Amino acid sequence: MNWDARQLAADFDLEKLTPEFYANPYPTYRALRENAPVKRLPNGCYFLTRYDDLVTAYKATKVFSSDKKKEFLPKYGDSPLYEHHTTSLVFNDPPAHTRVRRLIMGALSPRAIAGMEPDLIKLVDGLIDALAAKGKVDLIEDYASAIPIEVIGNLLDVPHDEREPLRDWSLAILGALEPVIGPEVFARGNKAIEDFLSYLEVLVGRRREKPGNPERDVLTRLIQGEDNGERLTSKELLHNCIFLLNAGHETTTNLIGNGLVALSNHPAEKQRLIEQPDLIKTAVEEMLRFESSNQLGNRMTVEPVELGGVALAAGTPLTLCIGAANRDPQQFADPESLDIGRTPNRHLAFGTGAHQCAGMALARLEGAIAISRFLARFPDYALSGEPVRGGRVRFRGFLSAPCQVG
Ligand code: HEM
């Protein structure tokens, strides 16, 4: 490894990222993996980049906690953002996590997800017709972001004419999870939580009065709870609905957007998928690995532990860099190349262990249908301008990607 890479690793600070990093973080991730895989940052957190170290941190839940109460208090104070994030299942440990996860997994059953496929195809084909009529389109605005919002809206049976604010709320709440936030982002995040809660109180009230079909309607299922009497409290119900709407939204938009842009930048792989559409499943996995929509996760040590040869004290905050682990040559052959037929492909885009993404079957289905039907209809699609990145380190995607489809 040359001096530049060593310097890149030595200088890395998650709180002082450069425009070059946002455009392409992978050289930095590589430099870190090779020179400082368990890297102490100036603020005392550690940044992990090796695949095996991430798997250890994800799997040993008793040592690496997901509970964020301690960490978020100085960041958010006593605010709606604090209440929201510390009530979401993803930022809790057992037993609170286990209870909520069981209910959510029950509601996102394979049967419920399979039942969504016909509506999803109809939605995607409708969007594709609209794209064809326009010719010059924005892949994100007109397509990638329009799909998850409808799917999640259907999942909770949010009336169509009430869905418009969901995307902005979601972007504002997730934006406040960035490592460093200013007062404006903080205020926007808090306002989004307040507006979202007021809306959900009305929606839940209506659903309590008139329950939907629990086989298809996740909200009814979450309200009714399990047969054994297990139920969410009102606060848990509202905040975990917000979490579900957010978790399934920007991440899946980015899977579809990143996937279509990556194919456009790799014409041979694009052609391969056009000629062999059966590769769509491995192609989606490769898109998840190559440009993971969720690049960072977090844990905190609850006892002294050694990781990658580094001794960590109890109470050390860790950032798990999924984007770096997914390009670790110890796990993936030729990791910097996009190979839509890659097998095996045990990427960490959905995390692993007790908190592994509860919506991954749905995300995979959305990705496969959105990308395969787009490609079948527009095999000659071409970017017509420079795609604009979202400027975030945690959630990697595009805000816009101008494209000519016909
Ligand atoms: C490409 C799309 C998606 C990606 C990349 C993604 C990624 C992730 C990751 C990395 C985690 C683990 C967090 C951790 O352990 O710290 C997670 C958790 C979660 N995701 Fe996803 N997700 C996606 C789509 C979805 C969808 C569509 C839904 C719901 C419909 C969803 C619901 C959840 C839930 C409920 C959790 C928390 C699970 C738990 O804490 O037990 N996700 N997701």
Side-chain angles (χ1 to χ4, degrees), residues 50-306:
R50 264 194 320 220
Y51 183 93
D52 286 350
D53 292 338
L54 261 75
V55 171
T56 302
Y58 274 129
K59 293 219 161 149
T61 35
K62 289 212 170 96
V63 182
F64 300 96
S65 164
S66 289
D67 191 314
K68 297 286 182 293
K69 289 180 197 71
K70 247 198 222 154
E71 214 173 324
F72 282 171
L73 198 56
K75 182 169 182 178
Y76 298 129
D78 181 13
S79 65
L81 275 168
Y82 181 76
E83 180 181 89
H84 169 64
H85 288 308
T86 54
T87 312
S88 301
L89 82 160
V90 75
F91 294 143
N92 272 287
D93 291 329
H97 167 255
T98 323
R99 256 184 63 239
V100 180
R101 180 164 172 107
R102 204 177 304 129
L103 285 162
I104 287 186
M105 289 306 281
L108 289 172
S109 66
R111 181 138 48 115
I113 289 168
M116 298 176 71
E117 192 167 343
D119 279 351
L120 181 55
I121 292 178
K122 221 188 293 165
L123 163 72
V124 164
D125 286 354
L127 289 169
I128 286 179
D129 285 342
L131 297 182
K134 262 175 122 176
K136 210 173 162 94
V137 304
D138 186 329
L139 281 182
I140 310 303
E141 197 64 37
D142 297 328
Y143 194 60
S145 72
I147 298 166
I149 207 75
E150 289 301 307
V151 169
I152 294 283
N154 289 347
L155 206 67
L156 296 183
D157 211 3
V158 177
H160 282 274
D161 57 357
E162 294 173 10
R163 291 181 188 184
E164 209 220 292
L166 298 182
R167 181 167 185 227
D168 282 346
W169 287 338
S170 169
L171 287 170
I173 295 166
L174 295 183
L177 280 177
E178 283 294 290
V180 185
I181 57 169
E184 254 176 48
V185 172
F186 180 62
R188 239 166 53 84
N190 278 322
K191 170 93 169 56
I193 300 273
E194 280 168 352
D195 292 347
F196 217 146
L197 282 176
S198 315
Y199 173 67
L200 281 175
E201 272 165 15
V202 174
L203 190 73
V204 168
R206 281 191 224 141
R207 205 62 51 82
R208 281 193 205 278
E209 262 171 38
K210 200 166 166 266
N213 173 1
E215 288 297 321
R216 285 187 60 109
D217 170 19
V218 169
L219 184 53
T220 298
R221 182 89 185 230
L222 290 177
I223 293 171
Q224 292 180 347
E226 296 288 315
D227 294 340
N228 63 7
E230 188 90 81
R231 280 203 173 75
L232 298 176
T233 63
S234 295
K235 186 172 126 180
E236 284 170 343
L237 175 68
L238 296 176
H239 283 296
N240 281 289
C241 282
I242 294 183
F243 177 73
L244 263 184
L245 284 156
N246 290 343
H249 178 220
E250 190 173 350
T251 46
T252 317
T253 297
N254 291 350
L255 162 60
I256 299 166
N258 290 347
L260 289 173
V261 171
L263 281 181
S264 172
N265 291 335
H266 295 79
E269 291 301 286
K270 179 181 169 207
Q271 193 53 33
R272 191 172 163 209
L273 191 52
I274 290 169
E275 283 163 17
Q276 300 176 68
D278 288 353
L279 287 180
I280 188 63
K281 277 199 175 154
T282 51
V284 166
E285 296 311 306
E286 180 66 345
M287 288 157 188
L288 284 161
R289 181 195 74 83
F290 187 73
E291 279 276 41
S292 305
S293 14
N294 184 352
Q295 295 257 316
L296 305 179
N298 293 92
R299 295 294 187 267
M300 189 183 277
T301 56
V302 288
E303 56 186 60
V305 62
E306 195 186 294

Side-chain angles (χ1 to χ4, degrees), residues 314-328:
T316 304
L318 307 176
T319 296
L320 281 54
C321 185
I322 296 173
N326 278 345
R327 293 189 180 211
D328 186 340

